[in-house]
Amino acid sequence: MSRIAGELVTEELEHDGGRQVTVYVPPGPVDAVVFAADGAWHITHLSTALENASSASTMIVGVHGLPDDDGRLHEYVSGFNPERFAAHAEFFVNDVGRWVESRFGVALPAERTAVWGASLGAELALALGLRHPDVYGAVFSVAPGAGNQTPGVLPSPLPRFYLVAGRHEQFFLDNAMRWADALRDAEADVAMMQRDGEHGGAFWAEEFPLMVAWAFGR
């Protein structure tokens, strides 16, 4: 993996006994920011893909998730433990957002801000995007699971949505297409992409610069 020109900064914030956040700080002025679930796992791959695509003006804020799937499930999917989900959402949206503004001097409008996640993290991204369109103008959802179901009635206004899944991960592809159909029915701006690959494949990171260009390149 190639070295990045930007900087990775990791600090621990006060949440649930301490939760780390790793931020990719691009080498030039920041003109967009993406808040990413499971940052400990994905931040290096996402930042490398971004720089390789010459899209390095975007800051990535990678909020670390819990190491076990059960813990992440309770924090990312509202139906399992509503209080724990709400506490984590408050941390992710508000506490981390205020810290980024204070620590890096970055506070951008919703049209220059997105939330990203893959698999369970993709479900969190969808949930937060629906609840906070005033914060996240775009939602990047990679191979979402089925824990968060599409609401019967979607709120308004809605952010823009970019969904992607692999052709060899049928369960996750079906979930992404289900979300895309429901969002289109609600007249949301939706991009739905299918890529060759399995769950956890290279396309997860490779798609990221395309998402950034779609959301912020206009």
Side-chain angles (χ1 to χ4, degrees):
M1 184 176 295
S2 60
R3 292 177 59 85
I4 59 173
E7 181 183 7
L8 293 177
V9 177
T10 299
E11 294 188 12
E12 185 170 286
L13 306 187
E14 293 183 5
H15 174 68
D16 192 32
R19 188 68 59 90
Q20 289 188 326
V21 180
T22 298
V23 178
Y24 165 74
V25 183
V30 176
D31 68 5
V33 60
V34 178
F35 290 82
D38 295 316
W41 298 344
H42 299 298
I43 191 77
T44 301
H45 299 290
L46 296 178
S47 57
T48 299
L50 201 64
E51 289 197 352
N52 288 344
S54 300
S55 305
S57 62
T58 298
M59 172 178 282
I60 310 168
V61 180
V63 182
H64 292 210
L66 294 173
D68 62 292
D69 285 345
D70 283 346
R72 293 169 62 241
L73 191 68
H74 289 178
E75 290 192 339
Y76 292 4
V77 180
S78 59
F80 287 92
N81 188 330
E83 290 184 358
R84 188 167 174 181
F85 172 86
H88 178 262
E90 171 71 19
F91 169 69
F92 192 109
V93 177
N94 295 317
D95 295 352
V96 175
R98 286 191 291 266
W99 174 76
V100 169
E101 181 176 1
S102 173
R103 175 67 171 81
F104 300 99
V106 173
L108 298 177
E111 58 266 26
R112 306 301 299 177
T113 305
V115 58
W116 178 97
S119 194
L120 263 177
E123 298 191 59
L124 178 65
L126 289 164
L128 295 182
L130 291 177
R131 289 167 171 77
H132 301 282
D134 57 323
V135 178
Y136 309 115
V139 175
F140 303 152
S141 180
V142 182
N148 282 326
Q149 299 295 312
T150 52
V153 177
L154 287 165
S156 180
L158 287 167
R160 303 165 65 214
F161 293 84
Y162 190 122
L163 297 107
V164 63
R167 296 187 181 96
H168 303 292
E169 49 170 6
Q170 192 63 50
F171 171 78
F172 300 95
L173 177 58
D174 290 345
N175 290 330
M177 294 178 68
R178 170 175 53 83
W179 272 98
D181 289 343
L183 291 164
R184 288 183 180 128
D185 288 346
E187 301 184 348
D189 184 357
V190 179
M192 173 65 225
M193 304 298 178
Q194 299 184 34
R195 303 298 182 198
D196 288 330
E198 299 177 342
H199 202 61
F203 77 92
W204 280 17
E206 292 169 353
E207 197 75 18
F208 186 61
L210 303 178
M211 293 172 157
V212 168
W214 176 84
F216 307 130
R218 299 183 179 183

